[in-house]
Amino acid sequence: MTFSATTRQQNIERLQNETLDLLIIGGGITGAGVAIQASAMGIKTGLIEMQDFAEGTSSRSTKLVHGGIRYLKTFDVEVVSDTVKERAVVQHIAPHIPTPDPMLLPIYDEPGATFDMFSVKVAMDLYDKLANVTDPKFTNYTLSKKEVLQREPQLRSENLKGGGVYLDFRNNDARLVIENIKKAHENGGVLASHVKAIGLIHDDNNQVIGVKAKDMKTGKTFSIRAHIVINTTGPWSDQIRKLNGESEFKPQMRPTKGIHLVVDAKKLTVPQPTYFDSGDQDGRMIFVVPRENKTYFGTTDTDYHGDFQHPTVTQEDVDYLLGIINNRFPSARITLDDVESSWAGLRPLIASNGSSDYNGGNSGKITDKSFKKVIDIVDQYENQKVSREDVEAVLKDVESSLSEGKLNPSSVSRGSSLTIAPDGLLTLAGGKLTDYRKMAAGALALINKFLHDKFDQNHIPVDSKKLPVSGGDIDPNNVEATIDFYAKQGTDNGLSKKDALQIAHLYGSNAARVFSLIGKVEAAPGLNLAESISLRYSLDEEMTLTPVDYLLRRTNHILFMRDTLDDIKDGVINEMARYFNWDSATKQAETEKLAKTVAESDLTALKNNNK
Ligand SMILES: Cc1cc2nc3c(=O)[nH]c(=O)nc-3n(C[C@H](O)[C@H](O)[C@H](O)COP(=O)(O)OP(=O)(O)OC[C@H]3O[C@@H](n4cnc5c(N)ncnc54)[C@H](O)[C@@H]3O)c2cc1C
Ligand SMILES: O=P(O)(O)OC[C@H](O)CO
């Protein structure tokens, strides 16, 4: 089903001229999850995303679908319980994306260790129980020190006590977003990338009835009308909430930056995803994950106040991660020059989330000073010396100062929150990518109620656990066999098995649509047939508008296939220039944007500084 640059133009026209039931601001995983469910329920749904879909946090994660076993240590059992159960759900609705891949958790006997051999078994048993993991192929087990070193001989052996192995899933975060977006489009949703909400529109009762929007490609501004508006802008959530001019605006978000570095697997070899304490007693745990023939590792967790659209990797971030990796894998001796690619993203943490709280509650501790303030003001109120408003003012002040006892970023709960502002603006923020479906289901229950109560609409809820994403028409219990089946359509039409499998793994059941281009699409100059049909499909059906969209988010070329990137990038640019009929200035600008993105990814500036 066409979902192209032309569709984008048509959808912008529709957004200007039709009143929606629901407008979603933000096209990361949270917005995409709301869009697929709302559109499937027959709710007239629009979504605007100011960048490319998934260009925010949802393409910059650790690329896992996981329950966060470390959150058990801060007793965030609710987050773990919700997210670990969601792993299997996401794998069922998007079988070609999350892949089960048991995590190895080496245990070191050192101060501040998150787990020891006893507690890791307890945690893994709880983790499996919460997720109802019963398949002996995936239930957890422990390893002796010798067994751990047999698996990962580069690991430091001093103080190593053994390890735990438990099920988690590797993921392609940006692919999960675009497959939700495409399905929402297939369901009748009206979605457009590079459209930014720049203002809220209110009726005479100061209720939000739409947004002022800006086409970021043309600069043209226009209005979009909707009965309900939901803010799913992740780290940007406060910026949207501020648009309604709330006089007593209190920030809700506490964005923290996390970075990842990618090296060749020959430099750092792990047979499976591996997860261990940083060793710095900072509450951090670090992932090391194999991907294609690379290994990536991360992540940091530092409060961030910079440019949300361009979080960058700093020398300090690199030093921190390389220090940890070279301590844990002493023979690897990874240096900055070994880094082939990288990425930086912002967690949309809820500031008031205490370390053991979920859904935006606030079990954070307040200081004695604030506690005394509350007691005094209530005492004065009881003696009719102050008004109720005076009490409310103090309580509001204390609530916002909950971040007084600012938790270490890694102790802040990864829970989500769904809030309604006085003008009716909904905000769905926080959480993890893993529980996007559940977060969206919660929001849809509220949206459906509003549409019923205020607009007399009756939409039958869908079981989102059984709502496959685009490309997800695959037996979740028989993924490899189904992928092989699809790949055969490629080899039957002359593709190599490797190329056919790569397309089938990336596009799932949509691989059939990609292979149907064979015979219609020639191999473009500088590209082989497989890359040419993959690119054409992405241009026609994934609203791919730029080379960066294709090489960074729709495929893994920039992050995990760096060896062949230089061979194909000119072919991609030339084919897109032909497809879009770019003039030379546009082609030059897109070429420069790609070069800038690749230079940022491979840390050229830091490497030059170190010369
Ligand atoms: C380093 C790191 C590692 C992580 N690892 C994992 C992991 O492995 N597994 C996991 O489950 N979770 C992980 N997470 C968490 C997960 O990535 C996030 O919870 C999730 O991606 C947030 O998605 P979102 O849609 O809420 O936000 P985003 O993906 O940021 O989407 C918000 C979108 O809103 C758009 N936007 C902003 N303002 C406007 C506007 N005015 N108009 C229109 N659009 C606008 C932005 O461009 C953006 O695309 C990680 C996060 C980080 C930072
Ligand atoms: O938010 P953290 O600290 O659990 O880190 C995110 C991980 O890298 C994957 O979820």
Side-chain angles (χ1 to χ4, degrees), residues 209-231:
I209 53 170
V211 302
K212 289 291 288 171
K214 180 177 180 181
D215 179 342
M216 301 306 283
K217 294 282 182 196
T218 63
K220 186 168 169 287
T221 59
F222 54 95
S223 297
I224 303 174
R225 299 281 164 155
H227 296 323
I228 298 173
V229 178
I230 186 166
N231 166 19

Side-chain angles (χ1 to χ4, degrees), residues 26 28-30 49-51 57-58 62 64 197 235 240 347 431 433-434:
I29 193 62
T30 303
E49 161 53 53
M50 72 178 180
Q51 306 180 83
T57 310
S58 298
T62 306
L64 298 173
I240 298 295
R347 290 174 191 78
L433 178 140
T434 299

Side-chain angles (χ1 to χ4, degrees), residues 48 111 170 303 443 551 553 575:
I48 56 173
R170 283 188 291 132
D303 282 304
L551 294 168
R553 285 177 287 280
E575 177 54 15

Side-chain angles (χ1 to χ4, degrees), residues 275-448:
Y275 189 31
F276 45 71
D277 283 318
S278 68
D280 285 5
Q281 297 179 49
D282 57 2
R284 289 297 307 147
M285 288 187 74
I286 301 297
F287 290 98
V288 181
V289 184
R291 185 69 178 264
E292 319 284 346
N293 58 358
K294 306 297 174 193
T295 302
Y296 68 91
F297 48 89
T299 178
T300 57
D301 192 1
T302 51
D303 282 304
Y304 183 78
H305 308 285
D307 173 1
F308 281 18
Q309 274 185 252
H310 302 104
T312 54
V313 176
T314 64
Q315 186 64 49
E316 192 186 353
D317 296 327
V318 171
D319 295 344
Y320 172 78
L321 279 187
L322 292 191
I324 292 165
I325 289 298
N326 287 322
N327 170 46
R328 291 294 187 217
F329 299 89
S331 64
R333 288 190 288 280
I334 306 288
T335 69
L336 173 60
D337 287 336
D338 295 319
V339 176
E340 296 188 2
S341 53
S342 67
W343 66 93
L346 301 179
R347 290 174 191 78
L349 300 186
I350 308 289
S352 61
N353 264 0
S355 65
S356 62
D357 215 301
Y358 183 51
N359 262 331
N362 46 20
S363 67
K365 295 278 170 285
I366 60 172
T367 61
D368 294 346
K369 182 164 140 281
S370 294
F371 194 70
K372 190 167 176 340
K373 243 166 55 175
V374 171
I375 300 299
D376 289 348
I377 195 74
V378 169
D379 187 42
Q380 291 177 58
Y381 176 69
E382 305 239 296
N383 295 306
Q384 278 102 34
K385 289 183 184 157
V386 296
S387 70
R388 180 188 171 84
E389 284 67 25
D390 294 328
V391 178
E392 283 171 357
V394 167
L395 291 179
K396 271 200 172 42
D397 184 43
V398 165
E399 193 179 322
S400 70
S401 71
L402 261 181
S403 55
E404 269 177 327
K406 203 156 188 165
L407 290 163
N408 156 317
S410 294
S411 301
V412 176
S413 168
R414 271 56 179 162
S416 63
S417 91
L418 175 61
T419 54
I420 313 169
D423 67 351
L425 175 72
L426 297 183
T427 295
L428 179 60
K432 292 189 76 68
L433 178 140
T434 299
D435 56 357
Y436 84 95
R437 180 216 59 89
K438 189 179 176 72
M439 286 166 62
L444 259 300
L446 190 60
I447 289 163
N448 207 15

